[in-house]
């Protein structure tokens, strides 16, 4: 892989493990308490709905942190922000584990999300710091399968701990995992953003947000993330009622999400292999193709009004969409970070916030669909996929018309390997030129 010059380099395997932990930690912590919701509500003497609200608090914290940590890391460096976030995450996880009331528990979940957001945002920016476009895409498609399966693994781990130890045990485990990651970051992982490449003032970095929002290329890649998450989380919100209508038990339903996770990982691995010889945007179009094909299958299934267990074909058709997500999510995040390399932290944070906004919108809209109606869900995912195609085509076309000279970096061309002993002042000058391109 082509690696940019940094003060020191961590071993590839160790860096990969840390990046996986940082990126997957938030989603793992989000879902590990799912099996323990009834026990948690019973312990606090509160309705289940009060505990369910804490998941909303977690999502709010993650979304807010996405927009905050990126600019901070562009100004103060990646490592300092990661360490701070991990410390908050560990403290908040322990607070959840010992919380005496549901109010304290909800506050702990909010703080836990705020801490986890640092690793998710800054971890992605670290990849953009170290690797050129295609190598960064390969790294993302290595990390993202771990992130993709974490929401499926977390409930299994949480269910085991809740059944055999306590509903509080999952939070102690997340604190322990974060402590190990923190120790490795502090002792083994060097700073990936040297001082000469940092933004000089936080205010200047924050003003980069409006500039990013004027860039068609930013919207092209960000809306890919929003549409992919919107369709996926919309399905997750509606599917339990669909499975319930089919007569499936809660235990059986818990296994119905394995296929979508497996398909997502398969999409990641396939895109990782193809990125070596194909342009990123062409692979993104392939992702949209799979996403749309799966949506059409879902719509056809809904139109057929299947009776009995024929509706379980959704377990075959929805994974086609998530296979497409295995292309759209890692490649769009990688391309966005590399297109705006001089403000990679800000770009990563803003893209992540808008991605979660898409997920929230998808959940809201699907929750308004007729209960357990596969036909309505088919229309929802089809319209979502069509919007993704239209948005990506429109914004990439607009970006092309503005000309390659208006973009901060040359697209689809791997960066040349840095010369040994390259002058740090030259890198600083290049960063300044890239920042100027945003003006």
């Amino acid at each position: 892989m082509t690696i940019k010059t940094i003060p020191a380099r961590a071993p590839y395997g160790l860096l990969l493990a840390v990046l996986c932990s940082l990126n997957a930690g938030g989603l793992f912590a989000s879902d590990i308490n799912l099996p323990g919701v009834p026990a948690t509500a019973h312990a606090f003497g509160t309705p289940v709905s009060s505990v369910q609200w804490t998941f909303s608090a977690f999502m709010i914290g993650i979304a807010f942190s996405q927009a905050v940590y990126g600019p901070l890391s562009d100004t103060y460096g990646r490592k300092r922000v990661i360490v701070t976030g991990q410390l908050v995450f560990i403290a908040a996880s322990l607070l959840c584990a010992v919380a005496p009331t549901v109010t304290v528990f909800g506050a702990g979940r909010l703080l836990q999300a705020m801490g986890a957001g640092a690793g998710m945002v800054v971890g992605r920016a670290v990849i953009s710091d170290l690797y050129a476009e295609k190598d960064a895409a390969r790294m993302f498609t290595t990390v993202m399968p771990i992130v993709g399966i974490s929401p499926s693994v977390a409930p299994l781990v949480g269910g085991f701990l809740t059944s055999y130890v306590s509903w509080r045990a999952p939070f102690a485990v997340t604190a322990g995992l974060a402590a190990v990651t923190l120790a490795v970051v502090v002792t083994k992982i060097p700073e990936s953003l040297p001082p000469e490449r940092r933004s000089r003032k936080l205010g200047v970095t924050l003003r980069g947000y409006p500039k990013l929002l004027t860039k068609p290329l930013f919207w092209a890649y960000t809306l890919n993330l929003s549409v992919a998450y919107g369709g996926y989380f919309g399905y997750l919100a509606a599917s339990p009622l669909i499975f319930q209508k089919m007569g499936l038990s809660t235990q059986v339903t818990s296994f119905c999400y394995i296929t979508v996770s497996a398909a997502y990982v398969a999409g990641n691995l396939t895109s990782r292999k193809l990125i070596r010889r194909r342009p990123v945007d062409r692979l993104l179009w392939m992702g949209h193709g799979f996403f749309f094909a799966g949506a059409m299958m879902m719509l056809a299934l809904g139109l057929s009004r299947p009776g009995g267990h024929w509706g379980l074909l959704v377990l075959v058709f929805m994974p086609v969409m998530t296979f497409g997500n295995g292309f759209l999510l890692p490649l769009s995040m990688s391309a966005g970070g590399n297109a705006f390399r001089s403000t990679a932290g800000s770009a990563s944070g803003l893209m992540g916030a808008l991605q979660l906004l898409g997920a929230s919108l998808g959940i809201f809209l699907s929750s308004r669909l007729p209960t357990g109606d596969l036909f309505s869900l088919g229309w929802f995912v089809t319209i979502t996929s069509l919007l993704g195609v239209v948005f990506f085509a429109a914004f990439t076309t607009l970006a092309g018309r503005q000309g390659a000279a208006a973009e901060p970096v040359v697209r689809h061309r791997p960066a040349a390997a840095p010369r040994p002993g390259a002058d740090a002042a030259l890198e600083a000058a290049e960063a300044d030129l890239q920042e100027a391109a945003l003006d």
Side-chain angles (χ1 to χ4, degrees):
M1 288 189 176
T2 303
I3 304 180
K4 299 184 72 176
T5 301
I6 55 176
R9 297 175 185 172
Y12 175 78
L14 185 64
L15 177 62
L16 180 62
V18 168
L19 290 174
C20 287
S21 177
L22 292 174
N23 281 278
L27 294 178
F28 187 84
S30 171
D31 294 346
I32 197 171
N33 183 234
L34 280 173
V37 167
T40 305
H42 177 75
F44 290 140
T46 189
V48 171
S49 58
S50 298
V51 179
Q52 289 176 324
W53 174 86
T54 64
F55 289 93
S56 297
F58 194 95
M59 291 298 293
I60 291 171
I62 285 283
F64 178 76
S65 66
Q66 298 279 305
V68 171
Y69 286 121
L72 289 175
S73 71
D74 282 339
T75 302
Y76 300 110
R78 314 299 189 204
K79 188 170 181 176
R80 184 182 302 180
V81 174
I82 290 174
V83 169
T84 301
Q86 288 295 100
L87 288 172
V88 172
F89 180 81
I90 293 169
S93 297
L94 294 175
L95 178 63
C96 291
V98 300
T101 66
V102 71
T103 301
V104 175
F105 180 74
R109 289 289 275 168
L110 178 63
L111 289 174
Q112 191 184 36
M114 293 290 292
M120 296 175 69
V121 175
V122 184
R124 294 192 295 258
V126 168
I127 296 176
S128 297
D129 289 339
L130 301 182
Y131 298 100
E133 182 182 52
K134 287 200 172 185
D135 289 336
R138 289 182 61 200
M139 177 64 87
F140 272 106
T141 52
T142 301
V143 172
M144 294 304 284
I146 306 299
V147 178
I149 66 174
S150 60
S152 299
V153 173
L156 297 177
V157 175
F160 177 85
L161 292 171
T162 300
S163 299
Y164 294 100
V165 185
S166 165
W167 67 266
R168 299 179 184 271
F171 298 101
V173 169
T174 57
L177 293 174
V180 172
T181 302
L182 175 62
V184 175
V185 169
V186 171
T187 60
K188 301 294 185 180
I189 306 299
E191 172 61 58
S192 65
L193 188 67
E196 64 270 12
R197 287 172 49 200
R198 298 176 191 173
S199 298
R200 293 172 178 79
K201 295 181 180 178
L202 181 59
V204 174
T205 305
L206 291 173
R207 287 198 293 272
Y209 275 162
K211 296 174 184 177
L212 286 170
L213 293 176
T214 66
K215 300 297 179 180
L217 200 58
F218 173 83
W219 283 110
Y221 296 132
T222 300
L223 289 175
N224 281 348
L225 299 172
S226 299
V227 166
Y229 250 40
Y232 175 63
F233 277 90
Y235 166 77
L236 291 182
S239 58
L241 298 177
I242 290 175
F243 295 140
Q244 184 182 55
K245 191 174 181 179
M246 293 178 188
L248 303 184
S249 66
T250 302
Q251 290 79 5
V252 174
T253 297
S254 65
F255 289 97
C256 290
Y257 301 98
I258 294 176
T259 56
V260 291
S261 293
Y264 176 75
V265 172
N268 270 261
L269 296 176
T270 303
S271 62
R272 185 177 189 273
K273 182 177 180 180
L274 294 176
I275 193 63
R276 299 176 182 179
R277 58 182 183 272
R278 298 191 183 183
V280 172
D281 281 3
R282 185 177 299 176
L283 294 179
L284 287 171
W285 275 119
M286 290 179 63
H288 278 294
F290 284 111
F291 195 82
F292 179 70
M296 291 300 295
M297 292 177 183
M298 294 275 287
L299 178 59
L301 182 63
L303 287 170
S304 68
R305 300 289 183 179
H309 286 167
W310 281 105
L312 288 177
L313 284 172
V314 69
L315 302 182
V316 179
F317 297 159
M318 185 63 195
V320 178
M321 293 186 65
T322 55
F323 183 84
N325 277 357
F327 285 70
L328 293 174
L329 292 173
L331 297 183
S332 295
M333 185 59 71
S334 170
N338 278 277
F340 302 96
R341 190 182 295 274
S342 65
T343 54
S346 298
S348 174
L350 190 54
M351 290 176 76
L354 293 174
Q355 176 183 356
L356 289 172
L357 179 61
S360 301
L361 183 60
I363 293 172
F364 173 79
L365 293 175
S366 68
S367 67
R368 299 301 187 269
L369 299 176
T371 302
D373 185 21
L374 191 56
F375 173 72
S376 299
L377 180 61
W379 274 114
F380 168 76
V381 294
T382 299
I383 292 172
T384 301
S385 65
L386 284 173
L387 287 174
V389 170
V390 171
F391 288 148
F392 190 57
F395 283 107
T396 52
T397 299
L398 184 57
R401 288 177 180 174
Q402 287 187 350
E407 301 300 338
V409 297
V410 178
R411 298 166 62 204
H412 311 319
R413 185 180 301 168
R419 297 186 305 273
D423 186 12
L426 178 58
E427 291 188 2
E430 291 174 350
D432 291 339
L433 290 174
Q434 290 175 4
E435 289 182 5
L438 288 175
D439 294 329

